[in-house]
Structures are given as C-alpha cells and as structure tokens.
C-alpha cells in the first residue's frame, strides 16, 4: 500500500503523464479566441463612443447616460452628441455587423462556399432595387424605404430558392444538395446582375438631388441611425438570433452531407429552408436599417474562421460588428482629415476592403491546394 501511494509522486517527478495532464488543464483555462473577439468588440465600441472628432471622458459618459435615464441635468452639447449621435450610431453599427456576419456565415457554411454571401447571391441587390424604386418612382423616404428594402430582399430570396429547388440530375441526396447549392449561387449571381442593371436605369431617370440620396443609401451609411431604427433592428435580432442558435446544431450535421445528415435524423429540406429564411431575414433587416453595407457578410465568416481556426457563428458575428464599427470610425473621423473634410459612407470603406481580401483568400487557398 505504501508503494502504491508513493507511485503517483514518483510519476510526477520522473514521468510525463501527470505533467502532461497538468498542461492540458492549464491550456483549457485560457480564454478562447472568440472571447478575445468579443473583448475587442467591447473596446472598439468604447473607442467609437468616447473618441473621434468629439471626445467624451468616461465619467462624463456615465453621467450623461444616467441623466438621460433618470431625467437629471444634462451637459449642454455633450448630452445631445452622445445620446442622439454617437451612441445610437455605435449601437446600430454593432447590430448590423452582427446581422451581416451571421447571415454570411450561415450561407457560406450551408452551401460550403466562401463566396455564398448576401452580397454575391443577390439578396442585397434585391433590397437595393426595391429601395431605389421606392425612392425614385414613388418619392418614398424614411421607414417606407426600409420596408421596401426588406420586401425586395425577401422577394428575391424566394425567387432564388425556388430556382435552386429545381430537379437535379444527381441520384443521391448529397448530389442533389450540392447541385441545389450551386444552382442557388448561380441563380443569385444572375439575378444580382439583372437587378444591378435595374438600379442603374433608375439612377439615370432620377434628378440630381434624388440620385445623390440614392447613392448614399446604396453605399451603406449609418448617417440615418437613430433610436427608432435601433429598436426595430434589435427586435428583429431578438427573433432571428434564437433561430440561429436552434439551427446551429443541425447546420453542423448538415456539413457532413445530405445523406449523412438524413441518416442522423435531420430533416434536410426543412433545415435548409429554415437556414435560408433566417439568413435572409438577418441580411434584409440589416440592409433595411443602413443600406447594403458592402462585403461585411462576405468578410466576417472567413476572417472569423481564420482567427478561431474553425467555423464559428459567434466569431463571425463579433467580426462583422468589429468591421462595421472600425470602418465607420475611420470614415467619420480619420477620412475627413485625409480627404479635406469629406465624410465617407461606411460602405465605401468596407467595399474597399472586400476586393483585396478576396484576392488574398484566393491566393492562400491556392497555396493550401499546392
């Protein structure tokens, strides 16, 4: 018995088993990369609200928020800038980043294609075409444009999904699933090209002032951010994010292929329909709130995957929000100093990031295949 009691101590001194186990426990205690992404988002949110062309100290910020909530004494100028400009703009930027990030990750994971984002497959163009039609032809503005964009995105998504559901030549469930995914992407690209032509035609028919308003909306902008839009978008996410959580498990199984997923008890067609509806709802809600902010849905998933080294919906959401907040902070505070006072829409910055990232993604993919 004495020998047996001393044996673990001797192993701890001379062997590797307990020491290795101890290292494993220490590594497990380290926060995950997703945690650090969330922390970076909190820091970026604070930087966005506190710094910039108008800086606010931390004590003043809490004093302003508490006074706003309790009806206390306001700080002249600072209270208005924080509560009516900076804070709602940061909030809606975070929310649309989360929505676009989740929408892109859902499409890319479901279709197993990094190009399958709402920007590429026509969802954003559907929202844009409907919104531009409402502005140019019917003279709409404000909430009417947002509802038109939402309806346009949902309508185009229904058309794309109906086309992708066409009968394929594959014999197996997996072949049919892959064919449906390829048809969905190709149908989306074709419809996006047609809708882009519609938007260009409508722009030629608009007067200069209307065309300028349409152009700002098409680029994606947070200039119209307010608490009403933030509340509507928050309400949408309170419905759609739980749906993402419910569908996350079946989505992981669906990555194994349609046949394997069906064998494991997943209703493949119903799950895919639910994923499409949820992803479209996320993209449409974000587009209705701020316009089609380019390439956020396309960038968030691959960047988040590179950071956490695996497909991750939370990482995609955090990355999308980080991209929007950082891009809008640059567009609102740094770009004017460089461009002689010109304030850029956030979509111009994210669009400028999209092309080089696509090239980088292609180069790194070719190196891995080589």
């Amino acid at each position: 018995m004495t020998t047996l009691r001393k044996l673990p101590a001797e192993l701890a001194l001379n062997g590797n088993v307990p020491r290795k186990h101890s290292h494993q426990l220490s590594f497990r205690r380290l926060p995950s990369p997703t945690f650090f992404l969330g922390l970076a988002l909190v820091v970026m949110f604070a930087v966005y609200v506190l710094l910039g062309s108008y800086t606010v100290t931390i004590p003043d910020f809490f004093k302003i928020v508490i006074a706003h909530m309790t009806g206390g004494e306001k700080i002249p100028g600072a209270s208005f800038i924080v509560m009516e400009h900076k804070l709602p703009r940061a909030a809606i930027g975070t929310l649309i980043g989360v929505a676009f990030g989740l929408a892109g990750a859902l499409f890319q994971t479901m279709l197993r294609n990094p190009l399958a984002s709402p920007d590429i497959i026509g969802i954003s163009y559907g929202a844009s075409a409907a919104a531009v039609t409402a502005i140019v032809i019917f003279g709409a503005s404000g909430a009417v444009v947002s509802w038109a964009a939402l309806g346009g995105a949902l309508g185009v998504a229904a058309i794309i999904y109906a086309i992708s559901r066409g009968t394929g030549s594959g014999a197996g469930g997996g072949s049919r699933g892959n064919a449906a995914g390829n048809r969905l992407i190709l149908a989306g690209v074709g419809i996006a090209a047609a809708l882009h032509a519609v938007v260009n035609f409508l722009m030629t028919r608009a007067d200069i002032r209307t065309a300028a308003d349409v152009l700002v909306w098409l680029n994606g902008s947070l200039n119209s951010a307010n608490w009403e839009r933030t509340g509507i978008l928050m309400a949408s996410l309170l419905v759609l994010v739980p749906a993402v959580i419910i569908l996350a498990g079946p989505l992981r199984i669906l990555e194994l292929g349609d046949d394997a997923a069906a064998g494991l008890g997943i209703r493949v067609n119903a799950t895919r329909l639910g994923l499409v509806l949820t992803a479209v709802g996320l993209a449409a809600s974000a587009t209705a709130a701020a316009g089609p902010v380019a390439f956020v849905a396309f960038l968030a998933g691959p960047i988040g995957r590179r950071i956490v080294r695996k497909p991750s919906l939370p990482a995609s959401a955090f990355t999308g929000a980080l991209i929007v907040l950082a891009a809008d902070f640059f567009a609102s505070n740094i770009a004017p100093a460089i461009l002689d006072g010109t304030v850029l829409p956030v979509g111009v910055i994210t669009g400028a990031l999209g092309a080089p990232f696509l090239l980088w993604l292609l180069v790194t993919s070719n190196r891995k295949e080589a």
Side-chain angles (χ1 to χ4, degrees):
M1 294 295 292
T2 304
T3 305
L4 290 175
R5 287 175 182 172
K6 290 181 178 179
L7 184 58
E10 294 173 359
L11 285 173
L13 292 173
N14 302 319
N16 294 323
V17 176
R19 191 172 298 171
K20 183 178 179 182
H21 183 65
S22 175
H23 285 315
Q24 288 176 345
L25 289 177
S26 65
F27 280 122
R28 288 175 185 171
R29 293 193 189 102
L30 292 175
S32 66
T34 305
F35 170 81
F36 287 110
L37 271 175
L39 184 62
L41 176 57
V42 173
V43 172
M44 187 66 237
F45 190 95
V47 168
Y48 190 100
V49 174
L50 300 177
L51 303 180
S53 56
Y54 187 91
T55 59
V56 181
T57 63
I58 295 176
D60 282 347
F61 171 77
F62 285 108
K63 188 185 298 184
I64 289 169
V65 173
I66 293 172
H68 183 81
M69 295 175 63
T70 60
E73 184 180 355
K74 298 181 179 180
I75 301 176
S79 295
F80 177 82
I81 291 173
V82 171
M83 298 306 304
E84 302 300 328
H85 176 67
K86 283 197 166 192
L87 205 52
R89 192 175 179 119
I92 205 166
T94 302
L95 293 176
I96 67 169
V98 168
F100 277 129
L102 287 175
L106 287 176
F107 275 121
Q108 290 163 349
T109 305
M110 178 183 65
L111 300 176
R112 295 188 288 275
N113 191 323
L115 296 179
S117 72
D119 309 273
I120 307 298
I121 64 175
I123 306 300
S124 297
Y125 277 106
S128 299
V132 172
T133 301
I135 294 171
V136 174
I137 296 180
F138 300 102
S141 62
V144 177
V145 177
S146 298
W147 285 111
L150 183 63
L154 294 174
V156 168
I159 295 172
I160 294 172
Y161 186 78
I163 294 174
S164 71
R165 289 271 296 167
T167 57
S169 58
S175 299
R176 287 195 298 270
N178 293 335
N182 292 332
R183 283 196 302 273
L184 190 147
I185 295 173
L186 292 174
V189 171
I191 291 175
L195 293 176
H196 184 65
V198 171
V199 169
N200 288 337
F201 171 76
L202 291 173
M203 289 286 286
T204 64
R205 308 297 298 174
D207 59 74
I208 295 177
R209 181 175 298 178
T210 302
D213 294 338
V214 169
L215 189 60
V216 172
W217 194 90
L218 286 175
N219 284 321
S221 174
L222 302 184
N223 291 339
S224 59
N226 54 45
W227 289 116
E228 181 182 0
R229 287 175 181 262
T230 303
I232 294 173
L233 184 54
M234 175 66 78
S236 301
L237 292 185
L238 287 177
V239 175
L240 294 169
V241 170
V244 173
I245 296 173
I246 293 171
L247 292 168
L251 176 63
R252 294 293 300 274
I253 300 175
L254 202 62
E255 290 184 71
L256 303 174
D258 288 4
D259 290 334
L264 292 172
I266 299 297
R267 299 175 60 187
V268 174
N269 290 333
T271 300
R272 184 174 284 113
L273 177 60
L275 288 167
V276 169
L277 290 176
T278 303
V280 170
L282 288 165
S285 300
T287 303
V293 184
F295 285 118
V296 176
F298 170 67
L299 293 169
I303 292 177
R305 190 181 304 117
R306 298 288 175 120
I307 293 174
V308 303
R309 300 185 181 278
K310 64 179 181 179
S312 172
L313 294 176
S316 300
F318 291 151
T319 304
L322 271 170
I323 291 171
V324 174
L325 286 181
D328 193 59
F329 185 82
F330 179 88
S332 302
N333 300 287
I334 300 175
I338 300 173
L339 303 175
D340 195 22
T342 302
V343 179
L344 298 174
V346 61
V348 172
I349 306 300
T350 58
L353 295 174
F357 180 80
L358 176 59
L359 295 176
W360 176 76
L361 190 65
L362 292 173
V363 169
T364 53
S365 299
N366 291 336
R367 286 177 181 174
K368 287 183 179 180
E369 292 175 359

